[in-house]
Amino acid sequence: MTQPRLVAEEGEPDLFAELRRGDILVHHPYDSFATSVEAFLEQAARDPDVLAIKQTLYRTSAQESPIIGALIRAAEAGKQVVALVELKARFDEQANITYARALEEAGVHVAYGVVGLKTHAKASLVVRREEGGVRRYAHVGTGKLQPLDREALRGHGPAHRRPEIGADLTDLFNLLTGYSRQREYRRLLVAPHDLRPKLLDLIRRESARAARS
């Protein structure tokens, strides 16, 4: 099913207008992958006001991927497009190499992650020109970007426009593409730097609250 906030009375919804109203949480496979994650990137690829799209790609699909197609169309339309392709995704190495070549041929800036680490992050960042300035929209999720597996996909994630998340993802993509050595973030927990210690801090905090109650 389509997440209720992504249903339009006529035609397709304006996802950017909907996100300006507030965060949207989707949970796969109960919420449609095609009308949420895919639609977000496809709409961004077509939108003349979108300046840039940045996307991590860990495990996609052995067949034609709508997400890869959207990134290629965006690059061909003159948008700045960055794709982080994880070549060490087990069993999908060949597919990811093929996708990386196709993306590079279309003009996408393809990066392959941080040496010695495997990038599992599922993240999308869209930079859009709007009245009053530039605004960032994002999707952060779990699971896989595999549309052919969406009936069996287990994952969830919010799509939002909160400035601190957009800023964190900008910093994260700068790290993944080799432009920075970022170690601290505003809201995101990023391994291997702060995910484990901050999760342990949160567990201790909740344990202390439970002990007091």
Side-chain angles (χ1 to χ4, degrees):
M1 62 175 287
T2 296
Q3 213 273 5
R5 285 186 55 198
L6 301 181
V7 177
E9 292 185 5
E10 294 183 7
E12 67 175 2
D14 183 339
L15 298 184
F16 298 112
E18 194 59 39
L19 283 169
R20 287 193 293 274
R21 292 181 51 221
D23 296 354
I24 301 173
L25 180 67
V26 291
H27 193 295
H28 309 299
Y30 310 106
D31 294 320
S32 168
F33 187 81
T35 59
S36 56
V37 179
E38 287 180 8
F40 175 61
L41 291 170
E42 289 173 352
Q43 194 167 119
R46 297 194 308 269
D47 190 329
D49 289 322
V50 167
L51 305 175
I53 302 173
K54 300 184 180 185
Q55 176 70 51
T56 60
L57 296 168
Y58 179 74
R59 205 180 295 280
T60 51
S61 170
Q63 300 184 35
E64 184 176 353
S65 166
I67 289 176
I68 299 296
L71 296 178
I72 288 174
R73 290 191 295 275
E76 291 174 343
K79 304 180 192 304
Q80 179 193 36
V81 183
V82 173
L84 187 289
V85 180
E86 179 50 71
L87 296 183
K88 293 181 289 185
R90 193 167 60 165
F91 307 125
D92 282 295
E93 296 91 343
Q94 184 57 54
N96 283 3
I97 290 171
T98 300
Y99 281 139
R101 289 173 177 166
L103 290 165
E104 286 178 337
E105 290 174 359
V108 175
H109 174 197
V110 178
Y112 300 99
V114 180
V115 175
L117 298 175
K118 187 181 287 189
T119 304
H120 282 269
K122 312 304 184 296
S124 309
L125 178 66
V126 172
V127 181
R128 191 171 187 265
R129 178 180 53 239
E130 298 183 358
E131 184 176 351
V134 172
R135 180 170 282 164
R136 289 176 284 202
Y137 296 84
H139 175 265
V140 180
T142 66
K144 302 175 285 185
L145 294 178
Q146 285 181 277
L148 295 181
D149 288 346
R150 60 177 171 261
E151 295 306 320
L153 182 66
R154 293 295 182 270
H156 69 277
H160 44 66
R161 66 168 187 86
R162 284 185 283 172
E164 66 273 22
I165 299 296
D168 273 355
L169 281 179
T170 297
D171 290 339
L172 178 61
F173 276 105
N174 285 340
L175 170 69
L176 294 174
T177 54
Y179 288 106
S180 81
R181 296 183 178 180
Q182 190 80 14
R183 297 179 70 91
E184 296 183 0
Y185 298 86
R186 301 157 189 82
R187 298 297 299 274
L188 295 184
L189 302 183
V190 179
H193 303 305
D194 62 358
L195 175 60
R196 181 172 179 173
K198 288 191 176 180
L199 280 178
L200 289 174
D201 286 344
L202 291 171
I203 291 170
R204 293 187 190 101
R205 185 188 72 182
E206 296 307 311
S207 178
R209 286 180 176 177
R212 292 194 301 267
S213 62

